[in-house]
Structure formats: C-alpha cells, structure tokens
C-alpha cells in the first residue's frame, strides 16, 4: 500500500546534476525542506571520520622499516618533544624539537630522508616507494641515510641534519587530512638545513596520494629538486623552478 | 603599574595591563602556546576580578604597544573620539559590562559611544562577559552597510557565496556559483579565494563574475580575495567592486601580510573613486582571525583575542562593507576545540559589532581540530541569534580549494528558516522574481528550463 500523502518524503532534486561533472565541489545535492538529505549527511560524516581517524592512526614504523630494508641505507629513529597526539596538535613548537636520545652524532651524509608521521601517519607508507624509484639515480653521486621520526613537524628535519651531519634533507611528512584526501603526503626539501631554518628556504611537493600526485611523479620532482639544490647550493623560493603549482603548507 | 588580587591568602599579581588582559582571557590553546595564559583557573578569575575594577580611562593612558612603536596604536589613539567616550568615561570595565547589559544601553546609545571605544577597552569587557552576554549586547548593535544591496538589517541574514576551486577553473566556479544562487546565497558577496594570486588570473576571474552578475541582473557585489597589491595593479582595468585584504592588529603583523595603513588608505581612496555601488559606497572587505599575530610572531606578547580586536580599529577606519572573522581556520594550536572556536567567534562578533563593524563569521574548522558539524550547527545558531550579518556559503560545507569545512548553502537555508530571517531586501526581490524562493523563503521546484540552469 502506498504511504498516505503527508508521510511521503520526497527529496527536492536539483535539475542540474550535470554540473557535478564540472567540479569536485558538493553541488546540486538537492534538499529536504532546505536541509541536506541523509545520504549527503552520511557521506560527509564518513569523509570527516576518515580524515579524523587518519590523524590518530598509529605510525607503523615496523612496516616502514621493512619496506626500507632492501635499500641498504642506515636507518636512525627519533622522537620529538611532543609526548602524545594531543600535545603534538597543541604545541607545534615541541614537534619541531628532538627529544633527548641515546643517538650519537653521525659522520655525515649528502642526503637524509626523514620520514615523519605528521598529521597523517599512514600517508608516509608511500615514502619507501618514492625512495625506491629515486635511489638508483642517486646512489652513484650521493651518500644517503634515513631517519624515522615520531610526532614530528617539518622543521625537526633541520636538527636531525645537524646531528647526522647532513647536507640536504628531504622530509616526507603526512599532510593535514582533507575531506577528500585523508592520506596525503608532502615532501619538503632543504639545502644546508640547520636549526632555525625558515619556510622560505624550503621547496615542497604536496598532495601525493591516490587521487593526487603519483609516487612516480613525486620521485621525478624530488630528483629534480635534489639536482638543482646541489648544483646551486640553495633551496626554497630563490630556487626558481616550475613547481609553482605545489603550495607550501604549514606542517 | 602592578595589579594585585588575593584569594584565600594567595596573592596574584600582574605586572601590567597587557599581562592582566592575557591572564583574564578565557582559556584557549593559542595563549598557552604563546606562554601568556593564566597558570590555572584561580589565577584567571583573579585577573578577571582585577580587570573588572580597572577604569576604562586607563586604557587610554597606557597603550599596550607604545605609541612610537606601532602605527596601529597611533591610529587607535589619534582617532579616539573623546566626546563619544565621555558618557562612559567614569566606568570601570566591570561597570561597563553591567551597563552594556542594562536597558539604558539602547541600540541608539551604543551607536553613539562606538567611536569612543578603543579595542583594548572592548577586549577587556568581552573577557568579563559570558557567551549569553556577548550575544545579548551584540544583538543590540545593528550595523548596516550598502553597495548594491542593503546588508545587516535586523531581520535579514546574508551569505557570502564562496565558489572556490583548486585551479581557478572557470567552469567549476560557475557551477558552484549557480548552485549557491539557487539556494539563495550570495547577497553579501560572491567572493573567490584565488588559487594563484597574479594580476592576469585575478582579472579573468573578476570578469567572469562581473559578466555573470550583469547577465542575470543580480543585486549583489563580487570580489576576488587577492592581495591588495594585486588588486591595485589591475584596479583601472578590471571590474572591481570591493577591495579585499587580510589585516592584523599590530604594525608588524600587517607588515608580515605585506601591507601598512598607507596602502590601505590608498586602496580605499581608489575604491571610492570607482563609484560602482548603486546604493552605497562601502567598498572594503576585510578578513581577520584570532592567532594570526602569534602565528607571524608579531604579537608583542599580547593575547590573541586582544590582538584580534585591534584589527577592528584598522578595519573601521575604512568603512568596510564586510568584515569577516575566519574563526576556526587557523588550527587547534590556537583554538583547540568546538568550545574554544565558539567562544572566540562570539567574542569577535561582539567586539566588532560594538565598534560599529558589519561583522560576519566564517563558521569553520579543520580536520585536526576537535570539532565537528554539531559544533558548527551550535555556533551558527548562536551567531544567528546574536545578529551576525553574514556567513560563508560553501557547497556541501566542503571547501575543495582551502581544504577546510565551513557552512553550506543548506546551513544558510536552515538558519533563515529557524530564525525567520530573510536575505538582503534587494536580493530577496531578485530571488522571488527568478522563481528561486517563494515568499516564505522556501526553495521552489525549479524547472530544467530555468534561466540560470539552461544557460549554464
């Protein structure tokens, strides 16, 4: 039997759903009495849930180490001064500082790849793939090492470079999760990193995820930045490149 | 001068007004990050007790950043209107709070004293006010501005349509704009945050929006939120309605934004010359937000809310059409959760309104803040009750360019419905004429042949 008229609920559809093909924005959703339909509310809740959970997902260091084990590079492990996720979020200053550790100073590398959980630990699982694509091209010219850092911000790479005596850092860090991209990776490069280095001295490759930039494209850009930086002995805004479309985010 | 207060034989002391203001601030992560917050709850209340007894006059006598050091301080002091201040000049901060809530403080009188208020007085009193006080007094302040329509009337509620796109794709922007207009949004402004801030790109976007506005005879204004130097570069060639700029509450903060008061004055004068408003000539659009001074390390050890109110002294100099506090965008290190975001938004709205500004609010959060849609619903409703002039309208609340969550077109429909508020009168007429809304503000069934859809 049909429902009586007043109990029938029809979503008022928008007769322009074809516009959705033009944009990723949530347009032409229709409405019920001006409000969003349950379908759209739940879709949003799900996307938000993914983004929220991404921040609190464990940093799978064992997996990263296993992925890196074939490369025959020395791996160092560090923690920041932020003791947990809540403190990490509230005190970005602590995420930039290394916690006291037993780690001895090391003798020196050309390149240090820092793998830092940032705001999306799972995003960093893409790091090994990028390093793998890159290494064959670098091994001839540069010595390299890897560090894995818990509760870190981009700038922590500077102190690590000082400790390990590195000339150049590429810091792989989980970016702030977006509704449509919860597992996005960013790579920040710095030539001659030292404590107190500011953002305009860094270059950035951002938006590396399954619907964004591919790991192959990221590896290619990173190789380009490494070559340019070592040739000109600089990094950052003064290193003019065609990377303009990749914005620097505060991580 | 040192300030002291004792609770149960413990004496709390505060070495100057700056420290007193910071310690009296309701708790928020940004003040903790800056090392300025009260050490515990008792110290905070002690500071509030002391602050309640500070005479308003003291803020005129003791600038929190020296006059010689900071042009925002000079603006505050030089533009202070002693005559407007006179009726309240004998009050302490606490007495001022009580008076604001009284029947004596009518909308007319509040308007008269506005030029006599400095940001520090306003910040101080807001720190002693609970959320309901902030709402109640703000509601008494009707701030009306005009360009092609009338914004800020008590029974009206407006929306900035924000059709951002990560690559400034004109088709995607047009699609979001059409959707927003068909949900009654865009009366405050149709305003895009450009992905790339260069003169050519911004000019193209300006033309796109202006053609669209003219084609459908929409009684509203458009804006590309580019840096003021970009806007000035193209001001004689491109169709510019409003001049946008993010502003800070200290000279150094403004320098970090690449601006100073002279540049704002020049842009304001140039904007007035364009004479593009049909019914008014409020040509400026400013954005602010607590924490930006600390973020740029330009806060002079002043708490983030007091810094924010100093922005409003900058804004009011140039008679803006719109001022917008972008409250939850900055992140959890400044405003940690829904509670802090809500408090900050109500403070900003109250402080701006009482200083005579047409306040809107970007009710928003990022994914790393402890906040969700329920928090935004509550804040949106509170701001509606407080008489906020406008909010943002973003498709599905998801800004695909700036990667944060703001308010949706549907949120605007909700607020207008539950508070019985209408769009700006000229815009409402247009919505009726176009068959988009009916007289009750309900969305009509739109035919596929509707002008805005079929031409799209």
């Amino acid at each position: 039997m049909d429902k009586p008229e007043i109990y029938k609920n029809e979503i008022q559809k928008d007769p322009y759903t074809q516009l959705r093909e033009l944009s990723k924005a949530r347009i032409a959703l229709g409405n019920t009495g001006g409000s969003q339909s349950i379908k759209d509310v739940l879709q949003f809740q799900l996307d938000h849930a993914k983004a929220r959970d991404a921040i609190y997902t464990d940093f799978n260091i064992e997996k990263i180490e296993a992925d890196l084990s074939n490369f025959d590079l020395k791996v160092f492990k560090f923690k920041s001064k932020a003791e947990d996720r809540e403190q990490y979020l509230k005190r970005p200053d602590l995420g930039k500082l290394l916690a006291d550790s037993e780690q001895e100073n090391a003798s020196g590398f050309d390149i240090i790849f820092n793998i830092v959980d940032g705001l999306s630990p799972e995003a960093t699982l893409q790091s090994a793939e990028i390093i793998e694509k890159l290494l064959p091209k670098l091994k001839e010219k540069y010595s390299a090492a890897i560090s894995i850092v818990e509760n870190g911000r981009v700038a922590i790479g500077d102190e690590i470079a000082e400790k390990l005596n590195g000339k150049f850092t590429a810091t792989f860090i989980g970016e702030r999760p977006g509704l449509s991209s919860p597992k996005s990776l960013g790579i920040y490069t710095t030539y001659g990193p030292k404590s107190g280095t500011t953002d305009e001295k860094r270059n950035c490759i951002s938006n590396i995820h399954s619907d964004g930039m591919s790991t192959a494209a990221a590896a290619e850009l990173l190789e380009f930045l490494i070559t340019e930086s070592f040739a000109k002995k600089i990094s950052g805004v003064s290193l003019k490149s065609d990377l303009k479309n990749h914005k620097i985010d505060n991580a | 001068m040192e300030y002291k207060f004792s609770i149960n034989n413990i004496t709390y002391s505060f070495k100057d007004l700056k420290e007193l203001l910071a310690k009296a601030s309701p708790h928020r992560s940004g003040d903790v990050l800056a090392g300025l917050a009260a050490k515990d709850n008792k110290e905070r209340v002690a500071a509030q007790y002391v602050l309640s007894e500070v005479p308003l006059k003291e803020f005129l006598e003791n600038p929190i950043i020296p006059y010689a050091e900071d042009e925002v301080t000079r603006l505050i002091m030089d533009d202070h209107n002693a005559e407007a201040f006179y009726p309240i000049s004998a009050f302490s901060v606490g007495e001022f709070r009580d008076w604001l809530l009284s029947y004596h403080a009518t909308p007319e009188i509040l308007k008269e004293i506005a030029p006599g208020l400095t940001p520090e007085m306003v910040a101080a009193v807001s720190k002693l006010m609970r959320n309901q006080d902030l709402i109640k007094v703000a509601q008494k302040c009707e701030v009306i501005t005009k360009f092609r329509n009338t914004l800020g009337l008590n029974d009206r509620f407006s929306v900035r349509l924000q059709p951002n796109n990560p690559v400034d794709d004109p088709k995607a922007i047009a699609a979001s704009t059409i959707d927003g207009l068909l949900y009654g949004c865009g009366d405050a402004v149709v305003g895009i945050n450009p992905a790339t801030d260069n003169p050519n790109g911004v000019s193209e976007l300006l033309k796109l929006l202006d053609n669209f506005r003219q084609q459908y005879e929409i009684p509203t204004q458009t804006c590309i939120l580019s840096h003021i130097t970009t806007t000035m570069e193209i001001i004689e060639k491109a169709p510019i309605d409003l001049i946008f700029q993010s502003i800070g509450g200290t000279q150094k903060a403004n320098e970090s934004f690449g601006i100073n008061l002279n540049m704002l004055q020049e842009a304001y004068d140039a904007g007035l010359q364009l004479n593009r408003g049909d019914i008014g000539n409020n040509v400026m659009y400013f954005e602010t937000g607590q924490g930006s001074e600390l973020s740029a390390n330009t806060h002079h050890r002043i708490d983030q809310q007091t810094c924010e109110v100093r922005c409003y002294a900058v804004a009011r100099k140039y008679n803006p059409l719109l001022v917008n506090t972008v409250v939850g965008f900055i992140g959890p290190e400044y405003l940690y959760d829904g509670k802090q975001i809500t408090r900050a938004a109500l403070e900003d709205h109250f402080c701006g309104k009482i200083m005579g500004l047409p306040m809107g609010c970007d009710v928003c959060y990022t994914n790393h803040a402890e906040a969700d849609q329920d928090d935004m619903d509550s804040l949106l409703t509170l701001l509606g009750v407080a008489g906020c002039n406008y909010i943002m309208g973003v498709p599905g609340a998801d800004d695909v360019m700036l990667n944060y969550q703001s308010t949706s077109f549907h949120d605007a429909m909700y607020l207008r419905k539950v508070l019985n508020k209408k769009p700006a009168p000229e815009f409402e007429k247009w919505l009726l004429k176009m068959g988009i809304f009916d007289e009750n503000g309900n969305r009509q069934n739109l035919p596929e042949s509707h002008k805005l859809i079929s031409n799209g």
Side-chain angles (χ1 to χ4, degrees):
Chain A
M1 200 178 83
D2 279 352
K3 289 178 184 169
E5 194 65 19
I6 56 164
Y7 290 114
K8 218 190 244 177
N9 185 22
E10 273 183 43
I11 301 298
Q12 183 185 55
K13 294 205 175 100
D14 291 331
Y16 47 92
T17 45
Q18 74 280 6
L19 294 185
R20 299 189 81 160
E21 287 159 29
L22 301 175
S23 172
K24 271 190 159 180
R26 294 171 201 242
I27 53 177
L29 300 182
N31 70 89
T32 171
S35 299
Q36 283 182 17
S37 73
I38 188 61
K39 177 174 73 61
D40 294 316
V41 169
L42 289 176
Q43 181 64 56
F44 187 100
Q45 298 292 60
L46 178 59
D47 293 340
H48 186 234
K50 284 182 187 166
R52 294 287 297 151
D53 289 350
I55 295 170
Y56 293 94
T57 303
D58 284 339
F59 189 29
N60 195 340
I61 295 176
E62 293 77 30
K63 170 94 171 77
I64 293 172
E65 278 192 291
D67 290 348
L68 295 172
S69 59
N70 295 332
F71 303 159
D72 195 27
L73 295 177
K74 193 147 175 48
V75 178
F76 302 88
K77 283 193 248 175
F78 295 101
K79 286 182 178 169
S80 82
K81 285 205 162 123
E83 282 168 15
D84 53 37
R85 281 319 248 179
E86 182 173 336
Q87 195 180 38
Y88 175 76
L89 292 172
K90 284 182 173 169
R91 294 288 304 272
D93 52 329
L94 297 181
K96 295 173 187 172
L97 301 172
L98 280 181
D100 300 328
S101 78
E102 314 269 291
Q103 184 61 58
E104 308 242 323
N105 289 4
S107 59
F109 302 94
D110 292 323
I111 300 171
I112 297 166
F113 297 107
N114 300 305
I115 301 176
V116 186
D117 49 4
L119 287 165
S120 180
E122 267 192 278
T124 61
L125 294 175
Q126 302 171 84
S127 310
E129 219 174 293
I130 297 171
I131 295 172
E132 188 176 12
K133 292 186 166 92
L134 200 61
L135 266 188
K137 297 170 189 165
L138 299 180
K139 268 201 159 159
E140 299 284 294
K141 281 176 94 173
Y142 308 104
S143 61
I146 288 174
S147 83
I148 301 175
V149 193
E150 280 178 79
N151 282 325
R153 304 260 170 185
V154 171
I156 202 166
D158 302 334
E159 207 187 320
I160 291 172
E162 280 180 346
K163 214 172 168 64
L164 302 182
N165 210 354
K167 285 185 193 153
F168 176 95
T169 52
T171 300
F172 295 63
I173 188 165
E175 296 181 323
R176 192 179 88 196
L179 274 197
S180 53
S181 53
K183 294 180 207 169
S184 181
L185 180 74
I187 305 175
Y188 291 78
T189 61
T190 316
Y191 186 86
K194 49 179 186 289
S195 298
T197 297
T198 44
D199 283 343
E200 79 277 1
K201 298 249 172 64
R202 306 187 203 285
N203 295 99
C204 172
I205 306 168
S206 68
N207 247 330
I208 306 164
H209 56 90
S210 53
D211 296 325
M213 182 183 288
S214 67
T215 51
E220 204 172 301
L221 280 170
L222 181 53
E223 190 199 347
F224 171 78
L225 284 174
I226 291 171
T227 313
E228 286 285 290
S229 272
F230 274 94
K232 297 178 181 158
K233 299 191 189 309
I234 48 168
S235 59
V237 283
S238 46
L239 184 72
K240 289 279 175 214
S241 70
D242 37 28
L243 297 175
K244 279 190 206 114
N245 291 330
H246 306 283
K247 70 178 169 67
I248 297 214
D249 225 9
N250 261 326
Chain B
M1 170 181 164
E2 196 175 22
Y3 301 88
K4 282 194 164 108
F5 191 78
S6 297
I7 302 172
N8 298 345
N9 295 327
I10 299 174
T11 301
Y12 297 89
S13 66
F14 310 94
K15 70 174 188 300
D16 53 19
L17 271 181
K18 201 156 94 170
E19 185 182 0
L20 187 60
L21 286 167
K23 299 247 161 130
S25 267
H27 174 75
R28 68 205 62 198
S29 50
D31 291 339
V32 177
L33 177 65
L36 300 173
K39 282 189 292 293
D40 56 29
N41 292 308
K42 288 193 294 295
E43 190 188 28
R44 177 170 302 108
V45 180
Q48 290 171 339
Y49 266 111
V50 177
L51 185 59
S52 75
E53 290 179 3
V54 171
L56 290 181
K57 272 184 187 155
E58 210 159 304
F59 295 98
L60 292 171
E61 290 154 8
N62 297 298
I64 54 174
I65 308 176
Y67 186 90
E69 253 178 59
D70 184 279
E71 67 172 0
V72 177
T73 298
R74 292 197 285 278
L75 168 69
I76 292 166
M77 294 301 169
D78 295 349
D79 283 10
H80 182 252
N81 183 326
E83 205 179 318
F85 179 63
Y86 179 73
I88 53 165
S89 57
F91 284 149
S92 67
V93 179
E95 288 165 343
F96 184 43
R97 178 264 178 201
D98 290 347
W99 177 81
L100 284 172
L101 290 159
S102 76
Y103 300 123
H104 298 291
T106 62
E108 296 71 32
I109 290 177
L110 288 176
K111 209 163 278 176
E112 283 170 26
I113 63 156
L117 297 174
T118 67
E120 290 79 5
M121 294 174 195
V122 172
V125 75
S126 74
K127 293 175 196 297
L128 303 181
M129 294 168 79
R130 282 172 37 200
N131 284 0
Q132 67 163 271
D133 304 341
L134 297 171
I135 293 170
K136 180 176 157 184
V137 180
Q139 204 198 43
K140 295 198 253 187
C141 304
E142 186 184 50
V143 180
I144 298 166
T145 56
K146 294 176 186 179
F147 192 77
R148 286 198 192 95
N149 55 23
T150 312
L151 300 171
L153 293 162
N154 273 339
D155 55 345
R156 307 279 166 169
F157 186 74
S158 298
V159 184
R160 166 192 162 192
L161 210 174
Q162 184 171 308
N164 292 344
N165 178 266
V167 292
D168 293 335
D169 173 32
K171 281 185 179 158
I173 286 170
S176 290
T177 305
I178 290 168
D179 193 35
L181 290 167
L182 292 174
Y183 277 90
C185 296
D187 49 346
V189 63
V190 181
I192 300 172
N193 298 87
T196 41
D197 193 322
N198 70 60
N200 286 338
V202 171
S203 297
E204 288 310 308
L205 291 175
L206 280 163
K207 280 179 214 154
L208 173 83
L209 292 186
D210 195 56
N211 289 342
F212 199 84
R213 174 186 68 79
Q214 295 201 40
Q215 184 183 350
Y216 298 103
E217 299 175 309
I218 313 169
T220 191
Q221 35 284 332
T222 62
C223 184
I224 308 302
L225 284 72
S226 52
H227 194 266
I228 204 161
T229 50
T230 309
T231 310
M232 287 298 279
E233 228 180 296
I234 54 177
I235 197 159
E236 291 185 350
K237 293 165 275 180
I240 290 168
D241 288 344
L242 305 181
I243 295 170
F244 169 83
Q245 183 55 44
S246 291
I247 53 173
T250 67
Q251 179 178 333
K252 282 187 179 151
N254 284 325
E255 282 165 6
S256 81
F257 288 144
I259 59 162
N260 57 45
L261 297 181
N262 266 339
M263 290 164 74
L264 292 177
Q265 184 66 48
E266 273 173 34
Y268 177 53
D269 292 338
L272 288 176
Q273 294 287 318
L274 296 173
N275 225 357
R276 286 171 58 90
D278 297 338
I279 62 166
N281 220 357
N282 297 112
V283 297
M284 302 300 281
Y285 175 8
F286 293 118
E287 271 186 5
T288 66
Q290 290 190 25
S292 53
E293 293 80 7
L294 173 59
S295 163
N297 197 20
T298 57
H299 61 298
H300 295 259
R301 300 193 59 73
I302 297 167
D303 70 89
Q304 68 184 36
Q305 190 253 342
T306 303
C307 283
E308 169 73 9
V309 190
R310 285 170 60 95
C311 297
Y312 305 154
V314 175
R316 75 173 162 185
K317 174 94 181 161
Y318 309 106
N319 305 308
L321 183 78
L322 306 160
V323 178
N324 172 25
T325 170
V326 188
V327 73
F329 185 72
I330 191 156
E333 61 267 43
Y334 301 92
L335 296 168
Y336 185 65
D337 54 16
K339 182 181 169 73
Q340 292 183 14
I341 292 171
T342 301
R343 171 77 202 178
L346 293 175
E347 287 166 350
D348 294 353
H349 178 256
F350 158 80
C351 292
K353 275 286 173 71
I354 196 163
M355 287 175 69
L357 290 174
M359 292 305 291
C361 182
D362 193 343
V363 175
C364 64
Y365 65 106
T366 56
N367 287 319
H368 59 324
E370 281 293 322
D372 60 20
Q373 292 297 92
D374 286 336
D375 294 309
M376 297 302 107
D377 290 347
S378 305
L379 175 54
L380 170 62
T381 311
L382 295 173
L383 283 169
V385 175
C388 183
N389 284 28
Y390 71 104
I391 55 167
M392 308 307 113
V394 175
D398 171 13
D399 190 304
V400 293
M401 184 250 169
L402 295 172
N403 268 321
Y404 76 122
Q405 285 89 256
S406 182
T407 39
S408 66
F409 306 146
H410 299 77
D411 291 332
M413 296 284 289
Y414 149 79
L415 198 82
R416 283 170 172 165
K417 179 57 74 182
V418 296
L419 295 179
N420 193 24
K421 295 204 176 209
K422 300 281 173 62
E426 301 82 357
F427 193 80
E428 186 196 15
K429 248 186 225 162
W430 179 81
L431 290 170
L432 289 168
K433 184 184 90 183
M434 298 292 283
I436 297 169
F437 277 11
D438 68 15
E439 257 122 47
N440 299 315
N442 292 345
R443 167 74 178 274
Q444 305 265 51
N445 277 315
L446 302 172
E448 246 171 275
S449 60
H450 191 279
K451 251 205 245 179
L452 273 172
I453 301 168
S454 57
N455 295 358

